[in-house]
Amino acid sequence: MDPIIVVGAGQAGVALAAKLRALGYDGPLLLIGQEPVLPYQRPPLSKKYILGELALDRLLIRPPGWYEEQKVECRLSTRVAHLDPAAKTVSLDDGTDLRYSKLALATGASPLVLPAPIGGKLEGVLRIRSLADADRLAPLLQPGKKLLVIGGGYIGLEAAAVARMKGLEVTLIEKAERILQRVAAPLTSDYFRALHGWHGVSIREAVTLERLEGTEGRLTGARLADGTRIEADLAIVGIGVLPDKGLAIRADLDVDDGIIVDGQCRTSDPDIFAAGDCTSFPWRGERIRLESVGNAIEQAEHAAACMLGETKDYDPVPWFWSDQYDVKLQIAGFHRGYTDTVLRPGKREQSQSVWYYRGEALVAVDAMNDALAYGIGKKVLEARRSIPKAAAADPAVELKTWLTAS
Ligand SMILES: Cc1cc2nc3c(=O)[nH]c(=O)nc-3n(C[C@H](O)[C@H](O)[C@H](O)COP(=O)(O)OP(=O)(O)OC[C@H]3O[C@@H](n4cnc5c(N)ncnc54)[C@H](O)[C@@H]3O)c2cc1C
């Protein structure tokens, strides 16, 4: 019997393998990953791990013994170079061909890089996607050093926060008009701009990086398009990711912004499924791609069920979190297409929530140090209900009454 093969031993790959076993699949199961370490969680890489507050064994998604116990053959340091849907084989980078019965692509995403002419290859210019990246960066975060963060998305902001906590001088530049522009409303951007300002990060929005400058191949600073120069010993580039869809493209599977899957996580080949950061999937009348642990796990579990015959469509309420200093941001829902936001002050210091509406319908909530607002917002979204804007904005109104209100 040919195995089910899962390509990509990350958050989605492991969740998919685990769910296949949990649902009773007892045939051969092979998980192939190109990194040299057992599958690990990425979020702590830009948070507790890099601060030295979380050991490597706590990063692992499953303990080392789990793979043998569950009869999941995990091949590390192994890249799948090719995929042949007609022959139902994958080719490994060592030249081996393996046959599969069904295949799952969980290849994730890779960070965008700055091109060499802009200085992207200078020593001291780093990124945070993998454990190897974090291990390279951690010892360089020394008090007094000057760090330039390029990109004001969540990873850039988290990197800025850990660097400040380690005593570096931090400047963050963002080419859009405001930080978090792609992923959040102005109210949330305002909150995080103020938070970082309070912690001493210099944030410069609506600026364009002309080039990074260096001496003898080592970064010394950056030149902006307006002529300003920023001195820097280190730069962290957090300008977004691209889904890893190369295998799918070369195998002639349908792709757009990601590997195109249907509601059952099936690609344009009926025996090939996909899940996680690499997929573009249908969701409530549109096609979206998410970069989050929540989606990687839930979509992978759905894909596993569909590989075994489930026919329901994947219909998640997306969720996400970010930790910066002592603030936990929790997001429920998906803000795309919102028309309005309302701000709800929280009960604690630094606590507030931003409620996103499309017309009168609640579509998402960003909760900063406000787990109650997040929890209720998520439940309301899961129940496909809403909360009137005036009630959401009024801290005197108990939100939980809207969970049961008709
Ligand atoms: C620093 C950082 C912080 C983050 N923080 C948060 C957070 O706070 N909250 C949140 O929800 N999300 C966060 N994320 C995002 C989250 O980690 C990802 O959405 C999640 O890991 C996606 O899971 P995945 O399995 O799709 O991809 P990945 O976890 O990236 O796994 C894909 C794996 O496939 C491997 N692979 C790719 N191609 C091949 C091939 N051809 N052959 C073999 N192996 C291959 C890759 O090397 C990788 O190991 C963060 C990400 C990073 C990098």
Side-chain angles (χ1 to χ4, degrees):
M1 180 185 189
D2 293 325
I4 292 184
I5 296 184
V6 182
V7 184
Q11 198 83 57
V14 175
L16 202 149
K19 192 68 177 179
L20 284 171
R21 286 294 187 235
L23 292 174
Y25 170 72
D26 61 2
L29 180 51
L30 184 55
L31 178 63
I32 304 177
Q34 64 191 359
E35 294 187 65
V37 270
L38 281 174
Y40 56 90
Q41 309 163 62
R42 294 180 198 281
L45 299 181
S46 52
K47 308 178 183 77
K48 287 196 164 171
Y49 180 75
I50 210 160
L51 280 170
E53 293 173 6
L54 196 75
L56 177 57
D57 59 338
R58 299 273 314 280
L59 277 191
L60 297 181
I61 296 173
R62 298 282 180 169
W66 180 86
Y67 298 89
E68 210 184 312
E69 239 168 67
Q70 293 293 314
K71 298 197 173 56
V72 176
E73 184 188 341
C74 188
R75 287 207 200 173
L76 303 176
S77 304
T78 305
R79 196 174 81 85
V80 172
H82 271 292
L83 154 62
D84 182 343
K88 294 183 86 169
T89 56
V90 293
S91 312
L92 309 184
D93 50 4
D94 65 3
T96 318
D97 285 346
L98 299 173
R99 280 186 60 81
Y100 61 80
S101 56
K102 286 197 167 60
L103 184 77
L105 297 173
T107 47
S110 298
L112 285 163
V113 291
L114 290 175
I118 302 190
K121 292 262 187 288
L122 288 167
E123 200 184 318
V125 179
L126 297 134
R127 60 185 202 178
I128 323 178
R129 176 77 194 181
S130 66
L131 183 62
D133 294 336
D135 286 341
R136 209 170 295 129
L137 176 62
L140 302 175
L141 294 178
Q142 298 294 337
K145 293 258 185 218
K146 294 186 173 66
L147 169 69
L148 174 67
V149 177
I150 303 166
Y154 287 118
I155 290 189
L157 290 170
E158 288 181 357
V162 294
R164 278 306 293 147
M165 290 160 86
K166 290 227 158 212
L168 284 83
E169 282 178 37
V170 182
T171 304
L172 182 148
I173 57 172
E174 167 56 58
K175 132 175 130 173
E177 261 171 40
R178 57 183 175 86
I179 55 169
L180 301 176
Q181 182 160 297
R182 191 177 65 85
V183 288
L187 285 169
T188 299
S189 302
D190 293 347
Y191 177 96
F192 283 100
R193 186 186 308 103
L195 178 73
H196 281 271
W198 190 81
H199 281 275
V201 176
S202 163
I203 293 191
R204 311 223 14 219
E205 295 160 300
V207 294
T208 304
L209 173 70
E210 195 166 274
R211 63 180 183 280
L212 295 174
E213 297 176 331
T215 308
E216 294 171 2
R218 241 214 100 68
L219 176 77
T220 55
R223 178 79 56 187
L224 304 185
D226 66 5
T228 318
R229 185 178 143 87
I230 299 170
E231 277 192 36
D233 308 301
L234 268 183
I236 297 177
V237 182
I239 54 174
V241 297
L242 282 179
D244 280 328
K245 54 187 181 183
L247 272 179
I249 293 173
R250 292 192 298 278
D252 266 340
L253 301 179
D254 292 347
V255 298
D256 55 12
D257 174 39
I259 302 171
I260 293 185
V261 293
D262 63 15
Q264 286 136 42
C265 310
R266 194 177 280 105
T267 67
S268 48
D269 181 291
D271 290 321
I272 305 178
F273 294 72
D277 282 14
C278 66
T279 65
S280 151
F281 64 94
W283 186 76
R284 304 193 183 177
E286 48 189 331
R287 189 160 271 285
I288 63 173
R289 195 174 69 73
L290 297 175
E291 294 158 14
S292 71
V293 165
N295 180 62
I297 295 173
E298 290 169 11
Q299 193 183 23
E301 292 185 342
H302 196 80
C306 294
M307 288 173 105
L308 302 180
E310 174 60 79
T311 53
K312 274 206 303 251
D313 280 347
Y314 178 54
D315 183 21
V317 170
W319 54 275
F320 183 82
W321 82 96
S322 171
D323 297 316
Q324 295 167 45
Y325 311 103
D326 50 358
V327 171
K328 177 168 281 298
L329 163 73
Q330 292 168 289
I331 303 175
F334 192 49
H335 76 303
R336 193 197 278 175
Y338 75 92
T339 51
D340 265 320
T341 49
V342 301
L343 179 70
R344 179 178 175 89
K347 293 203 164 95
R348 294 163 44 202
E349 210 185 324
Q350 288 189 316
S351 114
Q352 66 177 49
S353 48
V354 176
W355 298 70
Y356 295 74
Y357 289 83
R358 192 183 291 174
E360 295 308 312
L362 180 68
V363 292
V365 182
D366 295 344
M368 283 71 99
N369 278 348
D370 196 339
L372 185 68
Y374 167 75
I376 291 176
K378 186 157 189 283
K379 284 202 178 106
V380 167
L381 290 165
E382 280 164 353
R384 298 220 179 191
R385 306 172 75 101
S386 194
I387 296 179
K389 290 173 203 169
D394 182 352
V397 173
E398 287 292 343
L399 290 177
K400 58 177 185 289
T401 53
W402 292 95
L403 282 176
T404 48
S406 53

